[in-house]
C-alpha cells in the first residue's frame, strides 16, 4: 500500500466480544463507580493484603505514634500542673469565649464527633473493596494507600499539636484543660 498505510486485509477484524467489552467500558466510564464482581473483590483483597504486608512498618509506626502522642500529652498536663497561678491565666481568645464550655453533659459531644468522623472514614475505606471507582487518573484506588496518606496527615497534625501544647499554655475547652485560678 502506498504512503505507509495498511490494507484492510492486514487489520484484524474486531471480534463481537471485544465490541461488547468496548461498549461496556464506555458505559462504565459514564458512571462514578461500578460494583465489583465476586472474583474482582477477591483479587482486589489479595492485592490489598500484599500492599498491607509491604507497608506494614509504616502503619505500625503510625500506630505507635499514637502512644507517643499520648505520652507527650501527659507530659504537657504535668508541665501545666507545675505552673503557678499567675502563669495559669490563659491568653485572651475570642473564639474560646464564643464557644460554649464542654462541661457536664456537653463534654461527651466531642467524643461523638470523633466517633462519627472515624466511622465515616472507615466505611469509605472499606467500600473500596466492593466498589471500583472511576477516578480521573484511571488508576485503581487502594485502601492501603488511603491509610498511608491518612496516617502521614495524622502524624503531621499531631506533631504540630504536640509542639503547640508543649510550648504554650493556651486555654482548652475540655474539662481537664481548665484551671481553678
Amino acid at each position: 500500500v502506498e504512503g505507509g498505510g495498511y490494507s484492510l486485509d492486514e487489520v484484524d477484524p474486531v471480534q463481537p466480544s471485544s465490541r461488547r467489552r468496548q461498549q461496556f467500558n464506555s458505559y462504565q466510564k459514564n458512571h462514578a463507580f461500578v460494583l465489583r464482581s465476586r472474583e474482582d473483590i477477591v483479587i482486589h483483597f489479595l492485592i490489598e493484603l500484599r500492599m498491607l504486608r509491604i507497608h506494614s512498618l509504616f502503619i505500625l509506626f503510625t500506630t505507635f505514634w499514637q502512644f507517643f502522642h499520648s505520652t507527650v500529652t501527659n507530659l504537657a498536663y504535668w508541665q501545666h500542673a507545675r505552673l503557678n497561678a499567675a502563669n495559669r491565666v490563659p491568653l485572651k481568645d475570642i473564639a474560646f469565649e464564643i464557644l460554649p464550655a464542654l462541661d457536664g453533659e456537653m463534654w461527651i459531644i466531642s467524643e461523638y464527633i470523633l466517633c462519627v468522623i472515624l466511622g465515616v472514614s472507615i466505611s469509605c475505606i472499606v467500600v473500596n473493596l466492593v466498589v471500583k471507582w472511576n477516578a480521573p487518573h484511571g488508576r485503581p484506588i487502594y485502601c492501603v494507600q488511603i491509610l498511608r496518606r491518612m496516617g502521614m496527615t495524622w502524624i503531621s497534625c499531631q506533631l504540630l499539636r504536640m509542639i503547640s501544647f508543649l510550648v504554650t499554655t493556651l486555654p482548652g475547652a475540655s474539662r481537664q484543660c481548665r484551671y481553678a485560678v
Side-chain angles (χ1 to χ4, degrees), residues 62-73:
T62 306
T63 304
F64 284 116
W65 183 264
Q66 304 313 309
F67 294 113
F68 178 68
H69 175 262
S70 176
T71 304
V72 173
T73 302

Side-chain angles (χ1 to χ4, degrees), residues 107-171:
W107 184 73
I108 198 73
I109 291 175
S110 65
E111 301 299 319
Y112 288 141
I113 292 171
L114 176 69
C115 288
V116 167
I117 290 171
L118 282 176
V120 168
S121 300
I122 290 169
S123 63
C124 287
I125 291 171
V126 171
V127 162
N128 279 327
L129 292 174
V130 180
V131 174
K132 179 183 179 187
W133 300 98
N134 289 327
H137 50 72
R139 296 184 305 266
I141 299 173
Y142 295 104
C143 302
V144 175
Q145 289 176 336
I146 295 171
L147 285 174
R148 285 197 68 218
R149 290 176 184 156
M150 190 173 72
M152 197 60 214
T153 304
W154 204 355
I155 287 172
S156 303
C157 292
Q158 285 185 339
L159 180 66
L160 294 173
R161 182 173 185 251
M162 288 186 294
I163 291 169
S164 71
F165 64 61
L166 281 177
V167 299
T168 61
T169 56
L170 294 174

Side-chain angles (χ1 to χ4, degrees), residues 77 96 101-103 107 110-111 171-179:
Y77 289 145
F96 181 72
L102 296 177
D103 285 338
W107 184 73
S110 65
E111 301 299 319
S174 188
R175 65 180 171 204
Q176 69 261 22
C177 298
R178 296 182 181 267
Y179 298 111

Side-chain angles (χ1 to χ4, degrees), residues 80 82-91 168-170 179 181:
H80 291 181
R82 293 181 45 223
L83 296 173
N84 59 20
N87 289 336
R88 286 187 179 182
V89 176
L91 299 173
T168 61
T169 56
L170 294 174
Y179 298 111
V181 181

